[in-house]
Amino acid sequence: MNIGCTRIFKKGYIMWWYILGATVLIFLIYFIWGNVTIKIKYLKVESKGLPPAFSGLKIAHVSDVHNTKKWGKTEKILSALKEERVDAIFLTGDLIDSRLTDEKAGLAFAENLQKIAQVYFVLGNHEARLKDLDKIIQKLKSFGVIVLINSSVEIEKQGDKITILGVADPVLHAKYRSKREREVVEKNLDETLSCKTGYTILLSHRPEHFDLYESKGINLIFAGHAHGGQWRFFGHGVFAPGQGIFPKYTAGVIDGRCIISRGTGDHTPIPRVANPRELVIIHCKSK
């Protein structure tokens, strides 16, 4: 009896080690997959006031690239976009990293994006800290990229019009994470919105000021910066710059009008958990 019980105990003990090992292996595979792949996320957004001629507008939202070229990520994005046949590409900041700067990689990526569809670019906090920002902006413009720094561009289609706005990241005019950031964003936004009427789309790197954008009557907003909260559990991010622990705005569609990208790159050695990098494809419909 004792020998039999001992054998059963050993078998049960070994079985639990197998289960634990398999669980760890599955987690590691999922963990690595989430850090080396690009997930394509499709969203359908019904937007009130969108002119009929623009119903069906297909937009690619790319954010927080951080000049990454590891694991062939940029090639995967470009390849996917060529197949998607989008009408426009919104690049919402942090194309180039200010700490591990590789301007050549970031600019080459932007140039290749522009060959696929018209790119609209807004500054992130990382670009705002670059010493040679003016040269980078001129280079982007030479590719045909529309750079929106507290400015706007009007698009007309079949007699209907929409306006795309871009506000500069507050770091361009204020210390990072200072109390003046929101004040600067509001000032930039008010200046950009002056005399603007009709349907408006805003590109802003920062999602944490969503309530401010909403109060200004913006119809549709695109943002990034939060990196999905870096670690995600039960659909919620753990930390985001500008929002802190358990941030409110990290990914997806907020209130039907703010589209937040989890980004395609990173500027931190802290790996993502349950938070794959993403390329967002949005189909806009009139509501």
Side-chain angles (χ1 to χ4, degrees):
M1 284 292 295
N2 288 339
I3 294 174
C5 288
T6 301
R7 286 177 179 174
I8 292 171
F9 175 78
K10 285 183 177 179
K11 286 181 179 179
Y13 184 75
I14 292 170
M15 181 186 71
W16 280 110
W17 270 110
Y18 279 134
I19 291 171
L20 178 62
T23 302
V24 171
L25 180 61
I26 290 168
F27 174 80
L28 284 174
I29 292 171
Y30 179 67
F31 171 78
I32 294 169
W33 172 82
N35 280 275
V36 303
T37 60
I38 298 290
K39 180 181 179 181
I40 301 179
K41 185 174 184 177
Y42 295 94
L43 297 172
K44 289 184 179 180
V45 177
E46 291 188 355
S47 186
K48 186 177 180 180
L50 181 66
F54 290 93
S55 188
L57 182 69
K58 191 176 183 181
I59 299 167
H61 185 195
V62 182
S63 192
D64 298 274
V65 178
H66 289 280
N67 53 238
T68 185
K69 52 188 179 182
K70 295 178 181 178
W71 307 102
K73 295 187 188 80
T74 52
E75 288 79 6
K76 290 173 184 175
I77 295 168
L78 294 169
S79 177
L81 283 176
K82 287 174 183 176
E83 294 182 9
E84 291 296 333
R85 299 177 181 273
V86 296
D87 299 304
I89 299 171
F90 292 166
L91 194 53
T92 53
D94 286 2
L95 168 68
I96 298 171
D97 197 286
S98 62
R99 297 191 183 105
L100 303 171
T101 306
D102 188 341
E103 293 176 13
K104 187 177 179 181
L107 290 171
F109 179 61
E111 183 178 16
N112 285 320
L113 285 178
Q114 180 61 32
K115 292 175 182 177
I116 297 171
Q118 180 61 62
V119 176
Y120 299 84
F121 172 74
V122 68
L123 297 179
N125 55 292
H126 277 259
E127 284 93 11
R129 290 196 291 251
L130 295 174
K131 293 180 180 179
D132 53 352
L133 177 59
D134 289 340
K135 291 181 180 178
I136 290 169
I137 290 170
Q138 290 307 312
K139 195 70 176 176
L140 288 168
K141 288 181 177 179
S142 74
F143 301 149
V145 173
I146 295 175
V147 181
L148 298 169
I149 303 177
N150 304 329
S151 59
S152 64
V153 60
E154 190 176 73
I155 302 173
E156 184 174 349
K157 184 179 181 182
Q158 299 172 15
D160 287 339
K161 296 178 181 179
I162 62 173
T163 301
I164 301 176
L165 313 157
V167 291
D169 192 89
V171 173
L172 199 62
H173 305 289
K175 187 177 179 181
Y176 187 43
R177 298 187 190 179
S178 72
K179 293 180 180 179
R180 285 198 63 236
E181 279 195 1
R182 185 180 176 88
E183 174 190 326
V184 169
V185 170
E186 184 165 20
K187 180 176 180 292
N188 290 342
L189 189 55
D190 285 341
E191 290 176 358
T192 309
L193 276 169
S194 62
C195 301
K196 297 294 183 299
T197 57
Y199 189 90
T200 51
I201 295 176
L202 174 67
L203 308 188
S204 177
H205 186 58
R206 308 292 192 98
E208 60 263 34
H209 302 302
F210 167 66
D211 62 326
L212 176 61
Y213 309 146
E214 189 177 39
S215 72
K216 302 296 181 180
I218 304 294
N219 296 97
L220 199 57
I221 302 142
F222 290 80
H225 189 53
H227 291 213
Q230 202 63 30
W231 296 359
R232 292 184 71 81
F233 297 102
F234 305 104
H236 298 281
V238 172
F239 176 83
Q243 298 183 67
I245 300 295
F246 304 123
K248 188 175 181 180
Y249 307 118
T250 59
V253 183
I254 308 298
D255 196 27
R257 66 198 305 179
C258 183
I259 300 162
I260 305 172
S261 168
R262 294 202 297 254
T264 64
D266 277 313
H267 70 285
T268 171
I270 300 172
R272 293 175 178 238
V273 174
N275 178 30
R277 305 159 198 273
E278 65 178 11
L279 166 64
V280 188
I281 305 293
I282 304 100
H283 286 84
C284 298
K285 296 289 184 180
S286 299
K287 190 173 182 179

